[in-house]
Amino acid sequence: MPALTGVRILSIALNLPGPVAVARLVAHGATATKVEPPSGDPLTLYSRPWYDELHAGVTVLHLDLKSTAGLAGCDTLLGAADVLLTSSRPSALARLGLGASGLAERFPTLRTVAIVGDIAAPEQAGHDLTYQAEAGLLRDRLPVTLLADLVGAERIVTTVLLALRSAPGSYLQVGLRDVMNDLRRPRTLGLTTPGARFGGGDPAYGVYATRDGTIAVAALEPHFRARLYDALHLPIDAPLNDVMATRTCADWIVFARQHDLPISMLNS
């Protein structure tokens, strides 16, 4: 039997982190109902296929929470839920009567997990892009993935599990900016700064141009490092730029499989 069988989730969390987290919870047996405004979730405009994928197995209802009828319908759902997941600012939820104190009074057995931008400043506007920028994880181009949203979704799943172990009426927050503070630790601790061990200072751990593309080499552990340099007939920690440029990406992948080495080709 799936671990979360019998757990009832009610979500009013739109966009990405909430739906990703709910999909994970449903995959482990939870029952989920999602309330969307009459206009739907903006995620459908960004990627309808992804929206459909994340909402498979989720009951989606469209209610106007700014109306008396919509709030009454939401109250019925809240009375049957174990955990409420939200993603609006606290002031917006309070205006709807869904603030933390109001919920605790009306639904004493309900746990709430609130997705906010920044736990220290939950009313401040932000988005995945700005959180990555503030964390120092952006360069001069847009990111290739939505780090704060997707890693935040994993944090949300963990927080829901903690909420289920917490006292009824508990209120827990997940801050997407706070998630990025954890992701930037390798850089702030000097591990990935230019020239550091993971920032180009270790020739056995780097990205290299080949004859027809780029590969990533991660021979970090001593046994991998020794095996790599032995197979290349080079002294330990010798520079690798020149030798890596002598073969194609496919050649290096064959080499990696032959010698059991962590080498991969960069995919676009």
Side-chain angles (χ1 to χ4, degrees), residues 106-192:
R106 294 189 295 129
F107 305 99
T109 63
L110 180 71
R111 285 95 167 162
T112 299
V113 173
I115 307 166
V116 298
D118 184 345
I119 291 177
E123 295 292 338
Q124 184 174 325
H127 203 285
D128 186 284
L129 183 63
T130 60
Y131 302 138
Q132 290 201 43
E134 292 169 3
L137 300 180
L138 282 184
R139 293 299 172 264
D140 56 353
R141 64 190 66 186
L142 290 170
V144 297
T145 192
L146 303 173
L147 278 179
D149 287 350
L150 294 176
V151 179
E154 299 301 320
R155 184 75 58 86
I156 294 161
V157 170
T158 301
T159 305
V160 168
L161 299 180
L162 291 173
L164 290 169
R165 298 293 300 271
S166 301
S170 61
Y171 175 85
L172 304 178
Q173 289 182 311
V174 176
L176 300 181
R177 187 176 186 274
D178 301 87
V179 170
M180 296 307 298
N181 287 337
D182 290 340
L183 290 179
R184 73 175 179 176
R185 288 298 285 160
R187 186 165 183 82
T188 58
L189 291 172
L191 293 176
T192 59

